[in-house]
Amino acid sequence: MKKIAVIGSGLMGRGIALVGLLNGFDVRLHDIKETPLKQAQDYIASEIKKAVEKGIYQVDVDTCLEHLSCFTDLEDAAKETDLVIEAVLEKIELKIEIFKKLDAICPAHTILATNTSTMSPTEIAAQTSRPEKCIAMHFFNPPHKMKLVEVVKGLDTNNETVQFVKEIVAEMKKEMIEVNEFPGFVTSRMNCLIGNEAMNMLMEGVASAEDIDKAMKLGLNHPMGPLELADLVGLDTRLRNMEYLHETLGEKYRPCPLLSKYVKAGRFGKKSGNGFYNYN
């Protein structure tokens, strides 16, 4: 059984841990505080039961949960692993700090992956002594329902690392695309542009949030409207992504002023109870 560690027990981290457990991995979940870890454990247990009840997965719930360990100490979480997936906030400095620590903790064979949706795995890997074993694995929200994983090679990522991650993705029953690093990869570059234009149209009074989303769903066959999706991702996360893409790719990625205003007001989307829509 392969051992994976997931660093960060938030929305994406707990979802990635869930995917691992449902597909036979030994999962070690880390967070710096006990409360989010407990919340993640409760979420994971609930989702595994739902998956079994709906017949999506045929696993024993208790046995599955026995393969989940939770830690607030990073060394305890990562010291005996084959793969570590970092899933913390989209802040390059934070990711680099964690990768430096993981590099010192993990065995020589361990692959270090970042779940970033926009940021440079090359820049993150360069701060370690194993850049050839660093890569990006971009899961989508919610990870246990979305089929795609973007596998993004850094400048020094070697073929053995890519092949190992391909096998992991297959064992997780996901589809993958292989991407040569460039800011925003494939999906985030397009998605951020669409979402930002939707926000600009809302700000300009072109149409309501509901009608903008309805147009994209019924007119262009998108499964979710861009404003709904931004609320689901988190407006603070989307703003950080836009700021990074604006810095690296130029003016067309300048964040909509309405997005910045909402974040300043604490309107982060679904997780805060309101964003472009009200969830209270």
Side-chain angles (χ1 to χ4, degrees), residues 6 8 24 33 46 74 100-101 105 114 118 127 136 140 142 146 152 167 242:
V6 180
K33 294 182 179 178
S46 173
L74 186 63
K100 285 180 178 179
K101 291 178 180 178
I105 291 167
T114 174
T118 55
Q127 308 304 314
F140 293 79
M146 301 296 284
V152 187
E167 291 170 5
M242 290 300 304

Side-chain angles (χ1 to χ4, degrees), residues 12-48:
M12 293 305 296
R14 68 183 62 176
I16 295 167
L18 172 61
V19 171
L21 290 167
L22 286 169
N23 290 286
F25 291 85
D26 189 89
V27 178
R28 308 164 75 81
L29 183 62
H30 172 270
D31 207 298
I32 57 175
K33 294 182 179 178
E34 291 282 0
T35 299
L37 275 176
K38 180 62 170 64
Q39 292 170 343
Q41 282 180 291
D42 293 343
Y43 169 83
I44 289 167
S46 173
E47 290 299 316
I48 290 174

Side-chain angles (χ1 to χ4, degrees), residues 63 122 172 211 238:
T63 302
T122 297
M172 288 181 170
D211 282 348
R238 176 59 62 85

Side-chain angles (χ1 to χ4, degrees), residues 131-191:
E132 74 284 354
K133 292 185 177 293
C134 296
I135 200 164
M137 294 176 70
H138 177 207
F139 289 79
F140 293 79
N141 185 29
H144 63 296
K145 295 180 180 179
M146 301 296 284
K147 293 292 293 181
L148 183 67
V149 178
E150 279 185 307
V151 175
V152 187
K153 298 182 293 184
L155 181 64
D156 296 312
T157 307
N158 64 24
N159 291 334
E160 290 78 9
T161 296
V162 174
Q163 185 57 40
F164 177 85
V165 170
K166 281 183 178 180
E167 291 170 5
I168 292 289
V169 171
E171 289 176 34
M172 288 181 170
K173 299 182 177 65
K174 301 293 183 187
E175 298 289 334
M176 65 156 282
I177 61 169
E178 187 175 324
V179 182
N180 292 311
E181 183 194 325
F182 208 79
F185 315 146
V186 173
T187 55
S188 292
R189 283 183 68 174
M190 293 189 289
N191 190 40

Side-chain angles (χ1 to χ4, degrees), residues 55-222:
I56 301 170
Y57 282 87
Q58 295 180 338
V59 296
D60 181 79
V61 176
D62 291 335
T63 302
C64 202
L65 289 171
E66 284 175 4
H67 292 290
L68 174 65
S69 305
C70 295
F71 302 89
T72 53
D73 184 276
L74 186 63
E75 183 170 358
D76 289 342
K79 64 184 178 182
E80 296 176 356
T81 51
D82 302 302
L83 170 69
V84 181
I85 303 172
E86 164 272 306
V88 301
L89 291 175
E90 286 285 84
K91 295 182 178 180
I92 192 77
E93 299 84 2
L94 177 59
K95 293 178 183 293
I96 287 172
E97 177 187 348
I98 289 171
F99 263 65
K100 285 180 178 179
K101 291 178 180 178
L102 291 172
D103 187 38
I105 291 167
C106 294
H109 75 277
T110 304
I111 304 298
L112 305 182
T114 174
N115 180 55
T116 183
S117 58
T118 55
M119 294 179 179
S120 167
T122 297
E123 184 177 355
I124 296 168
Q127 308 304 314
T128 75
S129 64
R130 62 179 88 190
E132 74 284 354
K133 292 185 177 293
C134 296
I135 200 164
M137 294 176 70
H138 177 207
F139 289 79
F140 293 79
N141 185 29
H144 63 296
K145 295 180 180 179
M146 301 296 284
K147 293 292 293 181
L148 183 67
V149 178
E150 279 185 307
V151 175
V152 187
K153 298 182 293 184
L155 181 64
D156 296 312
T157 307
N158 64 24
N159 291 334
E160 290 78 9
T161 296
V162 174
Q163 185 57 40
F164 177 85
V165 170
K166 281 183 178 180
E167 291 170 5
I168 292 289
V169 171
E171 289 176 34
M172 288 181 170
K173 299 182 177 65
K174 301 293 183 187
E175 298 289 334
M176 65 156 282
I177 61 169
E178 187 175 324
V179 182
N180 292 311
E181 183 194 325
F182 208 79
F185 315 146
V186 173
T187 55
S188 292
R189 283 183 68 174
M190 293 189 289
N191 190 40
C192 282
L193 277 179
I194 293 169
N196 210 49
E197 190 59 25
M199 294 171 200
N200 281 320
M201 287 193 291
L202 180 64
M203 183 178 68
E204 293 160 4
V206 173
S208 67
E210 292 83 357
D211 282 348
I212 291 170
D213 281 342
K214 186 176 181 179
M216 296 299 287
K217 288 186 284 188
L218 301 185
L220 296 180
N221 207 28
H222 287 209

